[in-house]
Amino acid sequence: MATAHPTPALAPSHATRGRLNGILFVALFALAVTQVAALPAIAGLGISPLIVGIVAGALYGNALRYGLPESWAAGVNFSARNLLRLAVAFFGLRVSLQEIAQVGWSGLTVSLLVVVSTLLVGLLVGMKVMKLDRDTALLTAAGSAICGAAAVLAFESALRSQPHKAAMAVGSVVLFGTLSMFLYPLAVSAGWVQLDNLGVGLFFGGTLHEVAQVVGAASNVSPEATHIATIVKMTRVLLLVPVLLVVGLWVSRSRKQGQAQGGGRIAVPWFAFGFLLLVLVNSLQVLPAAVVNTINSLDTFALTMAMTALGMETRVSQIRQAGPRALITGAILNLWLIGGGLAITLGVQRLFG
């Protein structure tokens, strides 16, 4: 009589294997996305792998999603949630307090005014004028105000909002940020906007959505402007932490009062504290530059995985429900960044000049 072999205690369960397969699938997908993003035609437009990832993931998720085993869905969800939080925390290694100090009060003031005003305008226009739900309005405003897709991801993770809402916000950031990346240097070279290198750095770094867009636009003006613009942009990135904490308190309070849209409670943004801790680590320069560069490359890949997984979970039918309102909100925010951001830049230069 044959005896059944007992299952080894350390053998992974079916659910665990499915999750690991899902994570591996997302990783391979993200690797292909990284190769596509490195093509000169894509890289030359300042489009990061994160953006390519969410677009490719959404195309797959809507066209071929039935070919993905159901057991793998947990791995896709893990990449879009848990891996995302870890990747946002490690984004802090791209910022140092020394760099922020180089532009002094001018850069900090522009960053604060742009971030706060854009968030307020986004919430006002999105919720009151365009009648968007709170999460969609907040995600769109955060992407425009702080650091593009990375900010949308951070807020999406903290709010635990539906994937299609983040996809709409990212779409807005990509569209208007890319248009502005080409418009800004053209406006300066044509003389439509009269700014010196400091002014260009403050304006570009203070109002463009993505880090890659800032570098791409400012590099068409001068190396000095590019350096200042990058530092100002990273100052805005650093503001992600206090903004997340303030928004978390606001959302929690509104839910207690029964005013929030959707149940549950906001996730404790532990990754925001991790982000701040790694900013301090980077500022202390305790890690060799080669190690920091390697970690940043891995972090970009992890963020690409998260964006790809988020795209896979996005359904076009859900995006259609919002109609053009989210796009109009993004357009209004972009106009504010151009007009209001220029006014803030000129005012700050006069104040500290």
Side-chain angles (χ1 to χ4, degrees):
M1 182 172 127
T3 57
H5 294 285
T7 302
L10 296 179
S13 65
H14 177 72
T16 301
R17 286 198 304 271
R19 172 175 290 190
L20 292 175
N21 286 335
I23 295 172
L24 179 60
F25 174 73
V26 173
L28 293 174
F29 205 112
L31 183 61
V33 162
T34 301
Q35 298 301 314
V36 172
L39 295 174
I42 304 295
L45 294 176
I47 299 176
S48 70
L50 280 68
I51 308 306
V52 181
I54 195 170
V55 172
L59 290 174
Y60 175 86
N62 287 274
L64 302 171
R65 64 181 182 274
Y66 299 110
L68 189 69
E70 289 185 13
S71 62
W72 293 17
V76 175
N77 185 265
F78 176 88
S79 300
R81 300 293 182 273
N82 303 74
L83 181 61
L84 164 61
R85 297 185 181 105
L86 184 64
V88 170
F90 274 94
F91 204 80
L93 280 179
R94 303 167 195 252
V95 187
S96 75
L97 299 177
Q98 292 92 329
E99 289 177 329
I100 293 173
Q102 286 183 26
V103 295
W105 288 107
S106 297
L108 181 59
T109 304
V110 167
S111 298
L112 278 170
L113 292 177
V114 167
V115 168
V116 173
S117 62
T118 305
L119 286 170
L120 292 176
V121 170
L123 286 172
L124 177 64
V125 172
M127 295 177 66
K128 301 298 182 182
V129 180
M130 292 293 114
K131 304 301 180 184
L132 293 172
D133 63 274
R134 187 209 59 218
D135 285 2
T136 302
L138 187 54
L139 290 169
T140 303
S144 299
I146 305 174
C147 52
V152 175
L153 285 174
F155 273 73
E156 190 271 343
S157 180
L159 293 170
R160 295 178 179 174
S161 59
Q162 296 171 304
H164 72 278
K165 296 179 181 180
M168 286 190 291
V170 169
S172 172
V173 166
V174 173
L175 175 61
F176 297 111
T178 302
L179 290 174
S180 294
M181 183 183 70
F182 292 108
L183 174 63
Y184 278 29
L186 176 62
V188 172
S189 62
W192 302 338
V193 177
Q194 300 291 334
L195 293 170
D196 56 17
N197 281 326
L198 175 60
V200 168
L202 292 172
F203 180 49
F204 285 29
T207 59
L208 282 169
H209 300 63
E210 297 272 354
V211 176
Q213 293 166 355
V214 171
V215 175
S219 61
N220 289 305
V221 179
S222 72
E224 182 184 352
T226 304
H227 180 68
I228 296 171
T230 304
I231 294 173
V232 174
K233 179 62 185 177
M234 299 318 290
T235 305
R236 285 169 67 198
V237 173
L238 185 60
L239 293 176
L240 176 66
V241 176
V243 171
L244 266 178
L245 296 178
V246 170
V247 169
L249 291 173
W250 172 57
V251 172
S252 297
R253 182 178 179 184
S254 65
R255 282 176 174 167
K256 287 178 181 178
Q257 295 174 347
Q259 298 171 350
Q261 304 168 25
R265 70 181 170 84
I266 191 167
V268 176
W270 59 263
F271 56 87
F273 295 101
F275 176 96
L276 186 58
L277 175 63
L278 288 168
V279 169
L280 295 176
V281 169
N282 194 39
S283 302
L284 293 173
Q285 299 178 350
V286 295
L287 296 176
V291 173
V292 173
N293 291 335
T294 300
I295 293 175
N296 285 342
S297 297
L298 292 173
D299 185 56
T300 298
F301 184 73
L303 285 169
T304 303
M305 284 182 62
M307 287 290 268
T308 301
L310 192 66
M312 290 177 179
E313 294 183 340
T314 300
R315 299 292 172 261
V316 173
S317 59
Q318 295 172 316
I319 296 177
R320 286 201 195 103
Q321 294 175 4
R325 293 174 295 156
L327 202 60
I328 294 173
T329 301
I332 293 172
L333 279 172
N334 199 53
L335 290 174
W336 164 252
L337 286 171
I338 295 172
L342 182 59
I344 289 171
T345 298
L346 294 173
V348 167
Q349 274 200 289
R350 183 172 298 180
L351 178 65
F352 293 101

